[in-house]
């Protein structure tokens, strides 16, 4: 069982919801990312989605675009991102780390080289936003044998036929996109999400987590109530954007940034399963 | 032998190019939009259903003669096709080699080849019942062509344009506004065409139910590269028939500028199986490929994935897209359509960089010698053709796609001359 599956199964056994923050690696300083990851774990994160910054994040809203721009101004590369995971692992052997990003940086590194480096860094999963299930075989056949989970997005627009193809290629968990749009937009139709997730349950036994548009304890609880957990991206990246782009940063400052995750974590604790 | 910039008439530039390909090799893409290893549909999950639906609709409509009849009718009565094939006699004399013949896409309604595509895609939007159109634009020509068809069909139109391009193509911005389009300034990234495309993709993902995205070039996720090519192939079909009619044979070479590659693939595609016809794609060499400040993704880039397709890109070792530079906004794009990537690899088309300086020289020469002010994009093709023709014999002829007129560029050229107008 992968670290991701074990983590989620453990939480489910205790009737708990999964909380997954997303941050962009290298934002706003390369040297802060690992510390931020540890701070997030202390704040209640169960899994961390670490964004690989890309110059053209066409599925992301303004907040995460700006996060990627900050990280790229620091010169953050995919090699750096993998090194950050290695460093994080030195003192945290439990929390799964999922790399989330766009295909081109991986394509340029080379699929084999990436898969080997990700395994060596002890990455737990990959989610490539612009790699649809139909095109995934070449990369994922390099990644899977190394025990790395392959995670896919499912959108409100995903057809029945594609849902089946995605489920067949997914391991770890399914990431359900709560809305039609980009990251950071606002959730409009809760009952539609509930229906879709109910339908997904009949297709797969994978855990289903909901992301895009979760900004606070209230929206997190609403989404967690109808799924296995939530992903919080823009709301965190917005706060990270307030940190200094150079110079020292106190642990009090980091705690303040992750307060949004702590408050969601607390709210989820009180949620009855 | 590859293209050389030598002006020596003894250099036989056209020979040696391998054009001995089997006929069915050019019938691509495959069902999933692949040209060899290029193309595909690399989009976020929210958009997958939209591109699949578009593919289905286009597969169906493109087999319907009534659809093409309507398209042809619009091209004839609204766009003003066929566009002439014009022998540029004085320009030819200036270079003393092969005849330089211009395919006059600049004479189309709205002043460029872009309208061929927007007419076709607007018919699709109408058929699909989408009331809202979005488009990205670099030089503004595709934005104008989109705003034009939207006005004609009474559709809402939003055009994304990089903030820097808005500055250098202000005349086209105003034209779009006059046509009733909403022009949205894109401030992210390098503030040019690629960022406008990102923003249009975000809009599409958000408004996917009621919105049709008219991509302006033969790039993006499948089916766009195929569809845009089909709509632009009217250029090559006409040029082929006109060549046979006026010169009694096919041209020795074709030249077109390559931004995303729509005017080039439109000219080239109907000739791909004609072994004796050499082809040259003129890319934006900017300040010179060796300076790194250019947009010659085929000549100097490498394969990667951006904007929904695998193709040649301007990308650094870390996989980030590099900022491009070109005097012409319409060529200032770090990618290129996937069919060109494939045509490069198999050696059917030569892709060559043309510098800003050479393009500007061609701009002035065509203006003074023929009384035709070309778009700066098209000037790249003219520059390439002049050098090519100079090395060929006078009984040969070269067809150059004059993809657009230069009215939109007079501010840019004036500024280079130190004149404010
Ligand atoms: C006149 C003209 N030619 C060429 C281009 C480049 O586009 P493509 O390579 O798709 O033909 C443009 C783009 O704006 C244009 O306006």
């Amino acid at each position: 069982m992968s670290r991701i599956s074990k983590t989620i199964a453990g939480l489910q056994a205790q009737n708990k919801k999964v909380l997954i923050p997303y941050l962009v690696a290298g934002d706003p300083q390369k040297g802060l990312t690992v510390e931020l990851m540890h701070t997030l774990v202390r704040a209640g994160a169960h899994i961390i989605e670490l964004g690989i910054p890309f110059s053209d994040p066409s599925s992301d809203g303004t907040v995460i675009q700006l996060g990627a721009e900050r990280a790229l101004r620091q010169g953050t590369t995919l090699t750096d991102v993998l090194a950050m995971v290695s460093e994080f692992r030195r003192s945290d052997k439990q929390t799964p780390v999922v790399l989330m990003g766009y295909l081109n940086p991986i394509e340029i590194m080379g699929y084999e080289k990436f898969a080997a480096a990700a395994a060596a860094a002890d990455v737990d999963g990959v989610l490539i936003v612009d790699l649809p299930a139909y095109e995934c075989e070449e990369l994922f056949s390099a990644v899977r044998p190394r025990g790395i989970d392959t995670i896919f997005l499912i959108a409100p627009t995903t057809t029945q036929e594609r849902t089946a193809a995605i489920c067949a290629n997914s391991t770890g968990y399914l990431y359900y996109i709560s809305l039609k749009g980009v990251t950071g937009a606002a959730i409009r139709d809760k009952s539609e999400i509930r229906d879709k997730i109910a339908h997904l349950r009949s297709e797969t036994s994978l855990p289903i987590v909901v992301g895009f548009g979760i900004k606070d304890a209230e929206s997190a609880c609403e989404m967690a109530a109808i799924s296995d957990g939530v992903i919080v991206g823009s709301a965190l990246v917005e706060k990270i954007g307030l940190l200094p782009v150079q110079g020292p940063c106190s642990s009090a400052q980091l705690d303040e940034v992750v307060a949004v995750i702590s408050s969601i974590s607390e709210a989820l604790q009180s949620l009855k399963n | 032998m590859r293209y050389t910039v030598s002006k020596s008439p003894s250099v036989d530039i056209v020979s040696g190019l391998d054009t001995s390909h089997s006929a069915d090799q050019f019938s691509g893409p495959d069902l999933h939009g692949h040209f060899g290893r290029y193309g595909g549909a690399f989009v976020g999950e929210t958009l997958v259903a939209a591109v699949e639906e578009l593919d289905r609709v286009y597969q169906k409509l493109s087999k319907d003669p009534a659809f093409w009849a309507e398209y042809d009718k619009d091209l004839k009565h609204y766009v003003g096709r066929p566009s002439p094939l014009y022998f540029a006699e004085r320009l030819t004399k200036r270079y003393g080699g092969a005849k330089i013949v211009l395919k006059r896409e600049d004479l189309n309604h709205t002043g460029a080849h872009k309208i061929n595509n927007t007419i076709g895609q607007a018919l699709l939007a109408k058929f699909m019942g989408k009331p809202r159109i979005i488009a990205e634009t670099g030089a503004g020509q595709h934005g104008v062509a989109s705003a034009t068809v939207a006005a004609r069909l009474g559709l809402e139109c939003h055009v994304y344009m990089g903030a820097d391009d808005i500055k250098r193509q202000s005349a086209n911005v105003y034209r779009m506004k006059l046509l009733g389009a909403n022009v949205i300034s894109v401030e992210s990234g390098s503030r040019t065409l690629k960022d406008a495309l990102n923003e249009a993709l975000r809009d599409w993902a958000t408004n996917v139910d009621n919105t049709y995205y008219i991509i302006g070039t033969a790039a993006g996720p499948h089916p766009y590269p195929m569809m845009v090519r089909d709509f632009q192939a009217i250029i090559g079909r006409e040029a082929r028939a006109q060549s046979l009619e006026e010169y009694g044979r096919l041209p020795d070479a074709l030249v077109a500028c390559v931004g995303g590659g729509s005017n080039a693939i439109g000219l080239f595609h109907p000739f791909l199986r004609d072994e004796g016809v050499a082809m040259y794609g003129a890319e934006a060499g900017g300040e010179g490929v060796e300076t790194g400040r250019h947009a010659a993704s085929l000549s100097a880039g490498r394969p990667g994935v951006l904007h929904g397709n695998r193709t040649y890109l301007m990308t650094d070792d870390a996989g980030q897209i590099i900022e491009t530079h070109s005097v012409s906004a319409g060529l200032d794009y770090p990618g290129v359509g996937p069919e060109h990537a494939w045509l490069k690899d198999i050696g059917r088309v030569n892709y060559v960089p043309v510098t800003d300086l050479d393009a500007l020289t061609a701009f002035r020469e065509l203006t003074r010698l023929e009384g035709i002010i070309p778009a700066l994009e098209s000037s790249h093709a003219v520059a390439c053709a002049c050098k090519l023709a100079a090395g060929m014999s006078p009984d040969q002829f070269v067809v150059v796609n004059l993809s657009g007129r230069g009215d939109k560029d007079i501010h840019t050229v004036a500024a280079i001359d130190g004149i404010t107008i």
Side-chain angles (χ1 to χ4, degrees), chain B residues 9 25-26 44 47 94 98 102 112 139 142-143 198 201 203 220 253 273 346 377 380 408 415:
Chain B
Q25 170 176 27
F26 298 108
L47 287 179
R94 160 92 177 74
L102 307 176
H142 174 60
N198 289 334
L201 286 170
D203 179 312
R273 295 181 174 96
I346 65 164
E377 291 80 13
H380 288 70
K408 68 183 178 61

Side-chain angles (χ1 to χ4, degrees), chain A residues 53-61 65 69 72 76-78 103-105 107-108 111 129-132 134-135 138 153-155 157-159 162 166 177 179-182 188, chain B residues 32 34 37 39-49 52 188-189 194-195 198-199 201-202 205-206 208-209 302-307 310 313 315-321:
Chain A
F54 183 49
S55 53
D56 293 79
S58 55
S59 291
D60 284 300
Q65 280 173 56
E69 283 181 18
L72 291 175
T76 311
T77 65
L78 177 51
L103 186 56
N104 198 54
E107 177 112 349
I108 296 298
Y111 291 171
V129 179
D130 56 350
L131 183 65
Y134 178 75
E135 301 276 0
E138 204 182 328
L153 301 164
I154 294 223
T157 52
T158 304
T159 58
R162 283 188 57 73
I166 291 171
I177 302 175
L179 48 84
K180 289 176 190 156
V182 292
R188 269 177 262 169
Chain B
H32 294 278
H34 298 108
R37 58 184 295 246
F42 296 86
V43 290
E45 184 55 34
T46 307
L47 287 179
V48 171
E52 284 182 350
S188 59
K194 83 169 171 74
D195 310 287
N198 289 334
E199 215 43 49
L201 286 170
R202 291 177 188 123
T206 307
V208 60
D209 292 332
R302 55 174 140 176
V305 174
L306 178 70
H307 293 151
R310 179 175 285 121
L313 298 176
T315 165
D316 67 16
D317 291 336
Q320 306 301 338
I321 305 307

Side-chain angles (χ1 to χ4, degrees), chain B residues 112-114 139 141 217 257-263 330-331 375 377-378 403-404:
Chain B
H113 68 291
K114 297 286 181 187
Q141 287 303 122
T217 191
C257 66
V258 180
S262 68
N263 86 88
L331 303 185
E377 291 80 13
S378 322
S403 57

Side-chain angles (χ1 to χ4, degrees), chain B residues 14 49 81 125 130 134 139 144 195 227 235 245 261 266 271 317-318 321 324 349 352 360:
Chain B
V14 179
R81 301 201 74 92
K130 306 277 188 186
I134 56 171
V144 167
D195 310 287
M227 201 168 75
I235 303 172
E245 192 181 309
F271 290 93
D317 291 336
I321 305 307
T324 54
V349 181
V352 294
L360 283 162

